[in-house]
Amino acid sequence: MGSTAHHRAEGVGRRDLIKRSAALGLVATPGMGLLSACASSGGDGQSKAEQGKKTAKNPLGVNDTAGMEFVLFDGGFGKEYAEDAVKVYEHDFPKAKVKFAATQKIQSTLQPRFNQGTPPDLIDNSGAEQMDMGVLVGKNQLADLTPLLDAPSYDDPKKKVRDTLRPGIVEMGQFDGDPVWILYYAYTVYGVWYSQKALDSLDAAYPETWDDMLALCAKARKKGIAGWTYAGKYPYYIPFSLYPMIAKVGGRQVLDAIDNLEPNAWKHPAVKACFEAYYELYKKGYILQGTPGLDHIQSQTAWAKGKALFLPNGSWVENESANVIPPDFGLAVSAPSGLDASDRMPFGTIWASGGEPFVVPAKAKNAEGGMEQLRIMLSEASSKNFTAKVKSLTAFNGGTSGITLTPGLKSGVAALEKAGSNVVNPRLQDWYVQLQKEKIGVSGLGEMMAGRLTPAEAIKKIQSFADEAAKDSSIKHYKHQ
């Protein structure tokens, strides 16, 4: 999947999933035979499996003889981690027959089955053919995952599943208030990525304030190194460090107001201050020449070759750029620099959130089985297996001890530890894909960083885009509760 598919996400749903799957190189093993064979004709739906007996070992009351069907998106994370988790299910329920398939064509394969009322029991609804979550929720086609979240965790019966998850995972699965419709299994750390070796060679630490950032960029320029580069063709990467900086400066409620499409949310002083800070990188010539014309791969390659110090990105960059990052690079990520001591949140405030959305259909034959498979995947052993195999964290808060972490992953874990409860999760890119990507990203931030708009002009333009989206009755609107 090339960069066009990678970045053509209007109406697709969650950007980072599509991007990561494309980024990591999709493996085409559709397993279509398995899938199409299961679709029954007629719209009568399927009869539900009788519930089994709830016990300490079977808290969801899975019917131990009922079949369970699991369809996985076959993307950048591969399918081995899921196949391994299926083996645990088969071990726990030896009389149950599990039907597992991986495909890239989630929508074209599964939408007809939803329409017929014969969906599988568990789906990883991801990739370029992701089904629209808002539509599935709006049509009552998903099961509420609260029973799973309230069940005892796989490893410790004294802890509920929800108490073992990373910050923001439960909230991300909600649309309007309580029911939790989606369980995001992967966990992405967004921030400013850099080479520890490059900073050491400049005898510098990561700058915590903007004055220090500008001073370091000036120092780097004397050595012929640019301060920053980014995906100029896809400038919606800039928010990966800019949004958490806005929260750090003005408090997380500033981002909430932006997500809620509130009037004048973009005119907050914290937004203005952060836009002006980033614009200084352009004005002072600290951005790698030609950056506005680079795509994500070109900007990452220039950065990996030492042409620029800093790159706003997500934790998939380690896998995506593995072939160009030198072995002694010392890949690291930091939360964004702030402005100064008057910032509302401490240094370390970072954006991190879930990816890879798993759902259990409302009309699943064996919904308890689907939830039980997720409960297994949220165990420490399954989580460790995923992390070791695909260089990514999971929604399970832990699962990293005893495995050798790659440099970027190790740095991401340290950044999360430093952040503590100061993790922000802007929802704009989930709730309003086109607004975030095309309008705020390309027409707003991209134009400002290329020097074609002043910060004041960019803010005015972006606020008008947000106002249009707020008034557009064809868009479903969401709000932080």
Side-chain angles (χ1 to χ4, degrees), residues 213-258:
M213 170 59 80
L214 295 175
L216 178 54
C217 289
K219 193 175 183 182
R221 186 162 63 182
K222 288 190 180 127
K223 299 254 178 104
I225 304 164
W228 284 62
T229 188
Y230 57 90
K233 285 188 177 172
Y234 314 113
Y236 47 83
Y237 279 56
I238 296 167
F240 298 159
S241 58
L242 177 61
Y243 285 179
M245 182 186 182
I246 290 169
K248 180 181 176 349
V249 173
R252 59 175 85 228
Q253 66 278 8
V254 183
L255 290 184
D256 287 354
I258 284 172

Side-chain angles (χ1 to χ4, degrees), residues 254-338:
V254 183
L255 290 184
D256 287 354
I258 284 172
D259 286 341
N260 290 345
L261 304 180
E262 288 173 23
N264 298 321
W266 288 93
K267 294 180 180 172
H268 191 282
V271 177
K272 186 171 179 285
C274 294
F275 272 45
E276 284 169 354
Y278 268 60
Y279 189 63
E280 270 187 277
L281 296 173
Y282 157 75
K283 271 205 316 199
K284 292 196 156 96
Y286 295 151
I287 292 173
L288 178 68
Q289 210 168 352
T291 288
L294 301 180
D295 67 17
H296 59 296
I297 298 296
Q298 291 166 323
S299 59
Q300 288 163 200
T301 303
W303 160 79
K305 287 183 174 168
K307 292 181 182 174
L309 288 181
F310 299 117
L311 178 85
N313 218 304
S315 45
W316 60 79
V317 73
E318 181 165 31
N319 238 356
E320 190 171 53
S321 296
N323 59 339
V324 289
I325 294 176
D328 62 346
F329 191 73
L331 179 65
V333 62
S334 174
S337 314

